[in-house]
Short mmCIF file of all heavy atoms in Angstrom, two decimals:
data_model
loop_
_atom_site.label_atom_id
_atom_site.label_comp_id
_atom_site.label_asym_id
_atom_site.label_seq_id
_atom_site.Cartn_x
_atom_site.Cartn_y
_atom_site.Cartn_z
N MET A 20 0.82 -1.18 -0.05
CA MET A 20 -0.03 -0.03 0.00
C MET A 20 0.91 1.32 0.01
O MET A 20 1.05 1.93 1.07
CB MET A 20 -0.94 -0.01 1.18
CG MET A 20 -2.22 0.79 1.06
SD MET A 20 -3.43 0.59 2.41
CE MET A 20 -4.02 -1.04 2.01
N PRO A 21 1.51 1.53 -1.23
CA PRO A 21 2.29 2.81 -1.14
C PRO A 21 1.68 4.06 -0.80
O PRO A 21 0.52 4.25 -1.16
CB PRO A 21 2.77 2.87 -2.74
CG PRO A 21 2.65 1.39 -3.20
CD PRO A 21 1.44 0.80 -2.47
N GLY A 22 2.38 4.82 0.00
CA GLY A 22 1.85 6.15 0.41
C GLY A 22 0.93 5.96 1.72
O GLY A 22 0.45 7.07 2.26
N TYR A 23 0.67 4.74 2.20
CA TYR A 23 -0.13 4.71 3.38
C TYR A 23 0.48 5.44 4.51
O TYR A 23 1.82 5.38 4.74
CB TYR A 23 -0.54 3.27 3.73
CG TYR A 23 -1.57 3.09 4.81
CD1 TYR A 23 -2.83 3.23 4.51
CD2 TYR A 23 -1.29 2.84 6.13
CE1 TYR A 23 -3.87 3.14 5.35
CE2 TYR A 23 -2.24 2.81 7.13
CZ TYR A 23 -3.45 2.90 6.50
OH TYR A 23 -4.61 2.66 7.63
N PHE A 24 -0.13 6.21 5.33
CA PHE A 24 0.42 6.99 6.30
C PHE A 24 1.13 6.37 7.54
O PHE A 24 2.24 6.79 7.84
CB PHE A 24 -0.56 8.01 6.97
CG PHE A 24 -0.03 8.90 7.98
CD1 PHE A 24 0.74 10.05 7.61
CD2 PHE A 24 -0.13 8.72 9.27
CE1 PHE A 24 1.30 10.90 8.43
CE2 PHE A 24 0.44 9.55 10.25
CZ PHE A 24 1.13 10.68 9.79
N LEU A 25 0.57 5.14 7.93
CA LEU A 25 1.26 4.58 9.21
C LEU A 25 1.84 3.18 8.64
O LEU A 25 1.03 2.37 8.23
CB LEU A 25 0.06 4.30 10.12
CG LEU A 25 0.49 3.88 11.58
CD1 LEU A 25 1.36 4.89 12.23
CD2 LEU A 25 -0.66 3.42 12.41
N ASN A 26 3.10 2.99 8.88
CA ASN A 26 3.78 1.84 8.33
C ASN A 26 4.45 0.93 9.28
O ASN A 26 4.68 -0.21 8.98
CB ASN A 26 4.85 2.39 7.30
CG ASN A 26 4.23 3.17 6.26
OD1 ASN A 26 4.85 4.23 5.94
ND2 ASN A 26 3.23 2.75 5.59
N THR A 27 4.68 1.41 10.61
CA THR A 27 5.47 0.58 11.47
C THR A 27 4.79 0.58 12.89
O THR A 27 4.11 1.53 13.21
CB THR A 27 6.89 1.02 11.58
OG1 THR A 27 6.96 2.41 12.23
CG2 THR A 27 7.62 1.09 10.26
N SER A 28 5.13 -0.41 13.70
CA SER A 28 4.68 -0.50 15.10
C SER A 28 5.30 0.65 15.84
O SER A 28 4.61 1.27 16.69
CB SER A 28 4.87 -1.78 15.74
OG SER A 28 6.38 -2.14 15.74
N THR A 29 6.46 1.07 15.55
CA THR A 29 7.20 2.06 16.29
C THR A 29 6.42 3.43 16.02
O THR A 29 6.13 4.23 16.91
CB THR A 29 8.57 2.27 15.76
OG1 THR A 29 9.28 1.03 15.94
CG2 THR A 29 9.27 3.47 16.47
N ALA A 30 5.97 3.67 14.80
CA ALA A 30 5.29 4.88 14.46
C ALA A 30 3.83 4.81 15.11
O ALA A 30 3.32 5.82 15.50
CB ALA A 30 5.08 5.03 12.86
N GLY A 31 3.36 3.62 15.04
CA GLY A 31 1.98 3.51 15.67
C GLY A 31 2.01 3.73 17.22
O GLY A 31 1.11 4.35 17.70
N ARG A 32 3.09 3.42 17.94
CA ARG A 32 3.22 3.65 19.27
C ARG A 32 3.30 5.21 19.59
O ARG A 32 2.86 5.81 20.51
CB ARG A 32 4.43 2.93 19.97
CG ARG A 32 4.23 1.39 20.00
CD ARG A 32 3.04 0.93 20.82
NE ARG A 32 3.04 1.49 22.24
CZ ARG A 32 3.62 0.63 23.20
NH1 ARG A 32 4.19 -0.48 22.96
NH2 ARG A 32 3.72 1.09 24.40
N LYS A 33 4.06 5.86 18.62
CA LYS A 33 4.21 7.35 18.71
C LYS A 33 2.87 7.97 18.63
O LYS A 33 2.52 8.92 19.38
CB LYS A 33 5.15 7.87 17.69
CG LYS A 33 5.23 9.29 17.67
CD LYS A 33 6.09 9.77 16.44
CE LYS A 33 6.10 11.19 16.31
NZ LYS A 33 6.80 11.74 15.12
N ILE A 34 2.13 7.53 17.62
CA ILE A 34 0.72 8.04 17.48
C ILE A 34 -0.23 7.85 18.74
O ILE A 34 -0.98 8.77 19.26
CB ILE A 34 0.11 7.52 16.22
CG1 ILE A 34 0.87 8.03 14.97
CG2 ILE A 34 -1.38 7.93 16.20
CD1 ILE A 34 0.70 9.59 14.73
N MET A 35 -0.12 6.63 19.24
CA MET A 35 -0.87 6.25 20.42
C MET A 35 -0.60 7.20 21.57
O MET A 35 -1.47 7.63 22.30
CB MET A 35 -0.67 4.86 20.82
CG MET A 35 -1.28 3.78 19.83
SD MET A 35 -0.92 2.12 20.15
CE MET A 35 -1.77 2.00 21.89
N ALA A 36 0.80 7.47 21.68
CA ALA A 36 1.05 8.34 22.75
C ALA A 36 0.52 9.76 22.70
O ALA A 36 0.09 10.33 23.65
CB ALA A 36 2.57 8.32 22.94
N ALA A 37 0.56 10.22 21.37
CA ALA A 37 0.07 11.56 21.14
C ALA A 37 -1.53 11.59 21.35
O ALA A 37 -2.01 12.61 21.97
CB ALA A 37 0.42 11.99 19.68
N VAL A 38 -2.24 10.51 21.01
CA VAL A 38 -3.62 10.56 21.06
C VAL A 38 -4.10 10.39 22.56
O VAL A 38 -5.00 10.98 22.98
CB VAL A 38 -4.32 9.42 20.30
CG1 VAL A 38 -5.68 9.17 20.48
CG2 VAL A 38 -4.04 9.57 18.78
N SER A 39 -3.35 9.63 23.24
CA SER A 39 -3.51 9.45 24.71
C SER A 39 -4.92 9.13 25.12
O SER A 39 -5.57 9.85 25.90
CB SER A 39 -3.06 10.77 25.40
OG SER A 39 -3.06 10.58 26.85
N ARG A 40 -5.44 8.01 24.48
CA ARG A 40 -6.76 7.58 24.86
C ARG A 40 -6.64 6.01 25.25
O ARG A 40 -6.03 5.26 24.50
CB ARG A 40 -7.80 7.68 23.74
CG ARG A 40 -8.15 9.10 23.37
CD ARG A 40 -8.86 9.83 24.56
NE ARG A 40 -9.28 11.12 24.07
CZ ARG A 40 -8.68 12.24 24.27
NH1 ARG A 40 -7.42 12.33 24.63
NH2 ARG A 40 -9.21 13.53 23.82
N PRO A 41 -7.12 5.61 26.32
CA PRO A 41 -6.86 4.23 26.86
C PRO A 41 -7.52 3.19 25.94
O PRO A 41 -7.15 2.06 25.97
CB PRO A 41 -7.61 4.15 28.24
CG PRO A 41 -8.57 5.33 28.23
CD PRO A 41 -7.98 6.34 27.35
N ASN A 42 -8.55 3.55 25.20
CA ASN A 42 -9.14 2.58 24.29
C ASN A 42 -8.65 2.56 22.84
O ASN A 42 -9.20 1.98 21.97
CB ASN A 42 -10.77 2.83 24.25
CG ASN A 42 -11.14 4.11 23.58
OD1 ASN A 42 -10.44 5.14 23.76
ND2 ASN A 42 -12.26 4.03 22.93
N LEU A 43 -7.52 3.18 22.64
CA LEU A 43 -6.76 3.21 21.33
C LEU A 43 -5.77 2.20 21.50
O LEU A 43 -4.89 2.22 22.21
CB LEU A 43 -6.18 4.50 20.95
CG LEU A 43 -5.40 4.50 19.64
CD1 LEU A 43 -6.27 4.14 18.49
CD2 LEU A 43 -4.80 5.84 19.37
N LYS A 44 -5.73 1.16 20.55
CA LYS A 44 -4.85 0.00 20.67
C LYS A 44 -4.21 -0.31 19.27
O LYS A 44 -4.79 0.27 18.29
CB LYS A 44 -5.57 -1.28 21.09
CG LYS A 44 -6.08 -1.19 22.57
CD LYS A 44 -4.94 -1.03 23.62
CE LYS A 44 -5.56 -1.11 24.92
NZ LYS A 44 -4.45 -1.02 26.01
N LEU A 45 -3.25 -1.01 19.26
CA LEU A 45 -2.43 -1.31 17.99
C LEU A 45 -3.02 -2.59 17.37
O LEU A 45 -3.23 -3.59 18.07
CB LEU A 45 -0.99 -1.55 18.36
CG LEU A 45 -0.02 -1.69 17.23
CD1 LEU A 45 0.15 -0.14 16.57
CD2 LEU A 45 1.45 -2.02 17.83
N GLN A 46 -3.32 -2.46 16.15
CA GLN A 46 -3.66 -3.67 15.34
C GLN A 46 -2.36 -4.25 14.76
O GLN A 46 -1.79 -3.66 13.81
CB GLN A 46 -4.74 -3.31 14.38
CG GLN A 46 -5.17 -4.51 13.50
CD GLN A 46 -6.44 -4.10 12.75
OE1 GLN A 46 -7.30 -3.40 13.17
NE2 GLN A 46 -6.50 -4.59 11.37
N PHE A 47 -1.83 -5.25 15.35
CA PHE A 47 -0.53 -5.80 15.08
C PHE A 47 -0.63 -6.97 14.08
O PHE A 47 -0.89 -8.03 14.33
CB PHE A 47 0.20 -6.30 16.31
CG PHE A 47 1.63 -6.52 16.27
CD1 PHE A 47 2.57 -5.56 16.67
CD2 PHE A 47 2.08 -7.75 15.73
CE1 PHE A 47 3.88 -5.92 16.54
CE2 PHE A 47 3.40 -8.04 15.64
CZ PHE A 47 4.33 -7.08 16.14
N ASP A 48 -0.45 -6.54 12.78
CA ASP A 48 -0.39 -7.41 11.73
C ASP A 48 0.93 -7.99 11.49
O ASP A 48 1.86 -7.29 11.08
CB ASP A 48 -0.99 -6.84 10.42
CG ASP A 48 -1.26 -7.75 9.28
OD1 ASP A 48 -0.34 -8.66 9.11
OD2 ASP A 48 -2.39 -7.77 8.67
#
């Protein structure tokens, strides 16, 4: 999926920290 905004678990954790909501979780494929 070229151009997709979120590509790595590392980036996902960064976004989760910024959102700071307890019900936001990582879909780990």
Side-chain angles (χ1 to χ4, degrees):
M20 203 172 286
Y23 193 77
F24 181 77
L25 189 67
N26 304 127
T27 68
S28 62
T29 301
R32 294 299 298 271
K33 176 186 174 186
I34 292 296
M35 290 176 64
V38 174
S39 188
R40 294 295 188 272
N42 67 321
L43 175 63
K44 297 292 184 179
L45 194 65
Q46 187 167 316
F47 191 98
D48 190 310

